[in-house]
Amino acid sequence: MEIVRASNLGYDYCRYDENGQQREVTRAIDDVNLDVQEGQFVAILGHNGSGKSTLAKHINALLLPTEGTLWVDHMDTSTEEELWKIRQRAGMVFQNPDNQIIGTVVEEDVGFGPENMGVPTGDIWKRVEDSLQAVGMTAYRNHSPNKLSGGQKQRVAIAGVMAMRPRCIVLDEPTAMLDPNGRREVLEAVRELNHQENVTVILITHYMEEVIAADRVYVMDRGRIVMQGAPREIFAQVEQLKSYGLDVPQVTLLAYELRKAGLSMPEGILRREELVDALCQLS
């Protein structure tokens, strides 16, 4: 069953002068078609300015289409009466967790969303427990968020969205401000969330290694989806990705260079173990 669908989606950023007259129009999303199934782990790649964050904000109905339609759980995001339901179905985790965490204690912050939704108190604490456990932060439930690492804060932000029980979570470059350890922490939580809770995950990122475990990858450039497929299919097209200003995982690039040098290496190698096996086959 589909959870997110975009049809000929377009969005323009408009700039106005001091008199309220329109001065400039920038097309950020251009004729995007998207179909995300329930329970999928989807990654969206693109260089800065490619439109991926603008697309993310449409899924949470923070932005509304200039053209076309976007549905979340079969609800049109342009229908004002549906906005509250849409934002319950599709939660969003932003790049900087400090902009999303408002509680002085971890468990209170995670329970804030369900409380605002009118969830009964007993159910709130059950949701807090389940969400913290899902992201591996139960031991920190009584800590102050200010004393957590960047990766731990981002886990708390994810737990806060999870506690609202959305069917889909959109993560807009959630690891961009983190060190490698923090990125690993957040990705571990995301994978567990997808596998154990069957929540649809849409990850917006520019780190190639983060999308290896995705079910499907979309590549954006100048507001359009220019490539789509499984990770192995996408990363097999090294030169095309480079033409869009993107890299590939280091192990994939090494295998690609070895193949260019004349070695018989399979295309689309994604993991170190695959590369080791391919090299062993050569001998």
Side-chain angles (χ1 to χ4, degrees), residues 68-87:
T69 311
L70 190 137
W71 293 271
V72 174
D73 199 14
H74 306 287
M75 293 180 287
D76 185 342
T77 60
S78 295
T79 304
E80 187 173 350
E81 294 79 9
E82 302 281 20
L83 288 183
W84 177 241
K85 290 181 181 179
I86 288 168
R87 288 172 182 161

Side-chain angles (χ1 to χ4, degrees), residues 98-150:
D98 290 325
N99 295 337
Q100 196 158 352
I101 294 175
I102 60 173
T104 57
V105 178
V106 165
E107 64 178 14
E108 292 177 356
D109 184 84
V110 174
F112 179 79
E115 183 178 12
N116 275 357
M117 293 166 58
V119 175
T121 301
D123 291 341
I124 290 175
W125 291 114
K126 177 66 166 60
R127 291 190 184 195
V128 169
E129 179 71 28
D130 290 346
S131 300
L132 288 174
Q133 185 174 352
V135 300
M137 289 296 291
T138 303
Y140 296 87
R141 64 185 307 152
N142 295 315
H143 285 55
S144 166
N146 294 329
K147 296 182 179 180
L148 301 178
S149 69

Side-chain angles (χ1 to χ4, degrees), residues 10-270:
Y11 184 77
D12 296 329
Y13 284 111
C14 300
R15 294 182 61 187
Y16 299 86
D17 61 22
E18 60 275 10
N19 298 317
Q21 299 297 313
Q22 185 171 295
R23 293 183 53 190
E24 184 180 348
V25 176
T26 302
R27 167 94 354 167
I29 298 291
D30 189 12
D31 195 28
V32 163
N33 293 282
L34 188 71
D35 191 348
V36 178
Q37 298 297 307
E38 186 173 12
Q40 277 190 321
F41 178 6
V42 171
I44 301 178
L45 303 176
H47 59 77
N48 291 337
S50 62
K52 58 187 188 297
S53 290
T54 301
L55 178 58
K57 292 174 182 175
H58 275 79
I59 298 172
N60 191 240
L62 294 175
L63 296 176
L64 302 181
T66 303
E67 296 175 0
T69 311
L70 190 137
W71 293 271
V72 174
D73 199 14
H74 306 287
M75 293 180 287
D76 185 342
T77 60
S78 295
T79 304
E80 187 173 350
E81 294 79 9
E82 302 281 20
L83 288 183
W84 177 241
K85 290 181 181 179
I86 288 168
R87 288 172 182 161
Q88 288 180 294
R89 299 292 198 282
M92 190 159 180
V93 178
F94 296 95
Q95 184 179 117
N96 187 347
D98 290 325
N99 295 337
Q100 196 158 352
I101 294 175
I102 60 173
T104 57
V105 178
V106 165
E107 64 178 14
E108 292 177 356
D109 184 84
V110 174
F112 179 79
E115 183 178 12
N116 275 357
M117 293 166 58
V119 175
T121 301
D123 291 341
I124 290 175
W125 291 114
K126 177 66 166 60
R127 291 190 184 195
V128 169
E129 179 71 28
D130 290 346
S131 300
L132 288 174
Q133 185 174 352
V135 300
M137 289 296 291
T138 303
Y140 296 87
R141 64 185 307 152
N142 295 315
H143 285 55
S144 166
N146 294 329
K147 296 182 179 180
L148 301 178
S149 69
Q152 290 170 333
K153 287 181 180 180
Q154 199 61 283
R155 282 177 177 244
V156 171
I158 293 170
V161 173
M162 281 183 61
M164 298 173 69
R165 297 285 173 84
R167 295 181 61 193
C168 171
I169 292 183
V170 183
L171 299 106
D172 187 12
E173 301 197 39
T175 64
M177 302 181 68
L178 305 180
D179 60 23
N181 287 333
R183 289 202 293 272
R184 282 193 291 271
E185 285 183 7
V186 171
L187 282 180
E188 179 184 334
V190 169
R191 293 189 187 107
E192 288 299 313
L193 176 66
N194 176 245
H195 292 155
Q196 295 186 11
E197 304 293 328
N198 199 38
V199 174
T200 301
V201 172
I202 300 177
L203 175 65
I204 315 290
T205 185
H206 59 266
Y207 290 107
M208 302 301 108
E209 285 79 4
E210 294 184 355
V211 308
I212 290 174
D215 297 309
R216 192 159 187 83
V217 180
Y218 294 88
V219 178
M220 295 192 67
D221 183 67
R222 298 182 182 180
R224 288 178 168 265
I225 291 177
V226 292
M227 299 175 69
Q228 58 180 292
R232 200 174 302 279
E233 296 170 335
I234 295 297
F235 290 130
Q237 304 174 66
V238 175
E239 294 301 330
Q240 188 172 353
L241 285 169
K242 287 183 177 181
S243 73
Y244 295 127
L246 298 175
D247 295 321
V248 297
Q250 289 185 344
V251 66
T252 306
L253 181 60
L254 177 56
Y256 171 76
E257 294 295 340
L258 290 172
R259 189 168 58 254
K260 281 178 60 178
L263 296 181
S264 180
M265 304 292 292
E267 294 187 347
I269 284 179
L270 300 178

